[in-house]
Amino acid sequence: MDKLLVCGGAALGGEVAISGAKNAALPILCASLLTSEPLFLRNVPHLNDISTMLRLIGQMGVGVTLDGNEGLVLEARSITQPVAPYEMVKTMRASILVLGALVARCGEAKVSLPGGCAIGARPVDQHIKGLQAMGAEISVEQGYVLARAKRLKGARIITDMVTVTGTENLMMAAVLAEGKTVIENAAREPEVVDLANCLIAMGARISGAGTDRIVIEGVERLHGATHSIMPDRIETGTYLCAAAATGGNVRLTGTSADYLDAVLAKLREAGCEIRVEPDAIGLKAPARLKAVSIRTEPYPAFPTDMQAQFMAINSVAEGTAVIRETIFENRFMHAVELIRLGADIRIDGNNAVVTGKPCLNGATVMATDLRASASLVIAGLVAQGETLIERIYHLDRGYERIEEKLARLGAQVRRVR
């Protein structure tokens, strides 16, 4: 199993391109199930989660063709098997996103309850509740969600909590439903908007994406389209944090500051100089960062997917910061591994108190989830000596060629076995 060996001490500098967003690409891949015509996608990242989703929809009957380096053509002329088996779903929670599209297109679906990162319960009850409101008959048997509907009917759905995948699933189900569907308390994330833009290009009638109230007028059928996946805002934030922690000066291309207000505000608060361009972001870090407290909340507030990275930079910042995690109950597992590198972190429920130290020390650590992996890479970049990160298959789920990109910025990092 691959590991990542990081030799700390180098300030990151230079330019690197940001990939397409994993969390936008995954639901958009599922959107291909909604039409028999080709869906042309650009800026698709090369990630393990993307490969898993392509295998999953491929075994359902979706034809997958490469179109250039970062392009795909997906064509679901017919859905031969509306089933998402446990063997393919257990490693990736986003697999639940096939549920709404399959019921809408085929009138039935059998989808295994999902797996993925062990950062919290993340139940799918809001997905089920919404589909039932649209007239689907649903049962959960032997670990599978079984859904059936002759044709879904428009409905007003009020989710009990803000759920990104729930909003995306219900939006995909509603585009082919009869009548109008209104999703209240909808997720406002940019990835939801990107999915809506793709569906609209396919002929869907959607308004309100990016707000907490999305209105969908169902149509009889969708057609093919061409769509480019938005840049990955979490990858962007991660590289900005890596540069900030190492006292670096970087320019990230192919990205946008439009989705990163909360993250950029905290980096400025930490003492970084941020340079915003139409399709690039630059960062110049001070000699030492100032500690910044954060509280995770749904978009547009500070993202939970950037919490671990900020814990890493606070570990070497001047002062003490309080990190409050409000989204997932198990998302401080990386703290124990950061402590192995010498970080001063105290956990009290969903609060972490981080007191910065002048430096960390290399050690062997273990990645526990995707964003935790990124925090360990950042910590390794500033630690004295070598840091060996085990179980980096988590990293490969969400960061495209991370060792190559970091090396391009001057980091000493390589894969080992």
Side-chain angles (χ1 to χ4, degrees), residues 5 43 89 113 119 133 136 139 176 195 218 238-239 292 310 315 335-336 389:
L5 185 64
N43 202 32
V89 170
L113 291 170
I119 58 175
S139 61
L176 293 179
L195 171 62
T238 299
Y239 283 107
V292 289
F310 268 76
S315 296
V336 176
I389 305 171

Side-chain angles (χ1 to χ4, degrees), residues 12 18 232-245 250 252 260 263 267 283 305-310 313 370-371 373-378 381 395 398-399 402 406 409:
L12 299 190
I18 295 300
D232 196 317
R233 62 192 173 102
I234 304 303
E235 185 192 28
T236 302
T238 299
Y239 283 107
L240 291 174
C241 282
V250 300
L252 308 181
L260 284 165
V263 171
L267 287 169
L283 177 143
D305 277 356
M306 286 301 303
Q307 176 257 106
Q309 296 90 316
F310 268 76
I313 69 174
L370 172 54
R371 306 308 173 186
S373 307
S375 76
L376 297 179
V377 172
I378 293 169
L381 290 171
L395 268 178
Y399 290 95
I402 188 168
L406 286 172
L409 295 174

Side-chain angles (χ1 to χ4, degrees), residues 2 54 59 79 104 154-155 178 181 194 229 234 293 304 326 378:
D2 284 1
L54 288 173
Q59 64 91 35
I79 305 299
E178 181 182 345
T181 298
D194 206 34
I229 305 297
I234 304 303
S293 294
T304 182
T326 73
I378 293 169

Side-chain angles (χ1 to χ4, degrees), residues 172-187:
M172 284 190 279
V175 294
L176 293 179
E178 181 182 345
K180 180 170 77 173
T181 298
V182 180
I183 305 173
E184 305 277 8
N185 199 29

Side-chain angles (χ1 to χ4, degrees), residues 238-415:
T238 299
Y239 283 107
L240 291 174
C241 282
T246 61
N249 186 350
V250 300
R251 181 173 180 265
L252 308 181
T253 62
T255 189
S256 172
D258 293 346
Y259 324 117
L260 284 165
D261 287 344
V263 171
L264 296 181
K266 286 298 178 181
L267 287 169
R268 288 189 178 103
E269 186 181 332
C272 296
E273 174 190 323
I274 305 293
R275 308 178 300 276
V276 174
E277 304 172 36
D279 62 350
I281 303 174
L283 177 143
K284 183 178 181 181
R288 190 178 183 194
L289 300 170
K290 299 173 185 175
V292 289
S293 294
I294 61 170
R295 174 189 174 95
T296 64
E297 296 280 3
Y299 187 86
F302 192 92
T304 182
D305 277 356
M306 286 301 303
Q307 176 257 106
Q309 296 90 316
F310 268 76
M311 186 178 288
I313 69 174
N314 276 325
S315 296
V316 291
E318 182 179 358
T320 297
V322 178
I323 297 175
R324 183 171 178 81
E325 173 61 56
T326 73
I327 308 296
F328 295 124
E329 65 271 22
N330 295 336
R331 206 158 202 185
F332 281 152
M333 292 187 289
H334 48 277
V336 176
E337 301 303 309
L338 290 171
I339 291 169
R340 285 180 53 79
L341 297 172
D344 183 351
I345 304 171
R346 290 178 289 114
I347 304 296
D348 181 13
N350 60 348
N351 292 315
V353 180
V354 186
T355 300
K357 289 188 170 183
C359 68
L360 302 178
N361 295 295
T364 298
V365 292
M366 181 179 68
T368 54
D369 62 70
L370 172 54
R371 306 308 173 186
S373 307
S375 76
L376 297 179
V377 172
I378 293 169
L381 290 171
V382 297
Q384 293 182 343
E386 294 184 340
T387 298
L388 185 65
I389 305 171
E390 299 183 341
R391 292 175 60 178
I392 63 164
Y393 58 83
H394 289 294
L395 268 178
D396 294 332
R397 289 184 49 229
Y399 290 95
E400 184 177 26
R401 304 189 310 274
I402 188 168
E403 69 275 20
E404 294 178 27
K405 292 187 178 184
L406 286 172
R408 203 170 298 152
L409 295 174
Q412 296 184 54
V413 53
R414 59 188 175 90
R415 283 179 184 255

Side-chain angles (χ1 to χ4, degrees), residues 33 56-62 76 78-86 88-89 95-112 144-149:
L33 295 166
L56 178 60
I57 63 175
Q59 64 91 35
M60 294 176 183
V62 179
S78 62
I79 305 299
T80 56
Q81 189 178 10
V83 178
Y86 173 73
M88 301 192 73
V89 170
S95 305
I96 194 68
L97 286 164
V98 301
L99 179 62
L102 287 175
V103 177
R105 170 91 181 272
C106 306
E108 62 177 326
K110 180 181 179 181
V111 180
S112 172
Y144 280 82
V145 178
L146 307 178
R148 189 178 295 273

Side-chain angles (χ1 to χ4, degrees), residues 39-194:
L39 178 60
F40 296 82
L41 298 178
R42 299 286 182 266
N43 202 32
V44 180
H46 298 279
L47 300 167
N48 285 355
D49 273 11
I50 298 297
S51 298
T52 299
M53 184 64 82
L54 288 173
R55 287 197 302 273
L56 178 60
I57 63 175
Q59 64 91 35
M60 294 176 183
V62 179
V64 180
T65 307
L66 293 176
D67 181 37
N69 187 39
E70 294 180 340
L72 290 175
V73 183
L74 306 178
E75 190 169 9
R77 292 182 182 178
S78 62
I79 305 299
T80 56
Q81 189 178 10
V83 178
Y86 173 73
E87 291 72 23
M88 301 192 73
V89 170
K90 63 183 179 180
T91 62
M92 187 180 66
R93 179 173 180 76
S95 305
I96 194 68
L97 286 164
V98 301
L99 179 62
L102 287 175
V103 177
R105 170 91 181 272
C106 306
E108 62 177 326
K110 180 181 179 181
V111 180
S112 172
L113 291 170
C117 288
I119 58 175
R122 301 195 286 181
V124 299
D125 57 325
Q126 300 305 304
H127 306 237
I128 292 172
K129 173 185 171 184
L131 289 171
Q132 287 174 328
M134 284 190 273
E137 297 179 5
I138 297 182
S139 61
V140 179
E141 301 175 16
Q142 298 180 318
Y144 280 82
V145 178
L146 307 178
R148 189 178 295 273
K150 192 168 280 188
R151 186 183 180 189
L152 295 171
K153 309 286 186 182
R156 182 167 179 257
I157 302 166
I158 305 173
T159 61
D160 297 333
M161 56 185 287
V162 177
T163 162
V164 176
T165 54
T167 299
E168 293 167 338
N169 231 341
L170 297 176
M171 193 161 58
M172 284 190 279
V175 294
L176 293 179
E178 181 182 345
K180 180 170 77 173
T181 298
V182 180
I183 305 173
E184 305 277 8
N185 199 29
R188 300 164 61 186
E189 271 72 2
E191 293 80 9
V192 173
V193 178
D194 206 34

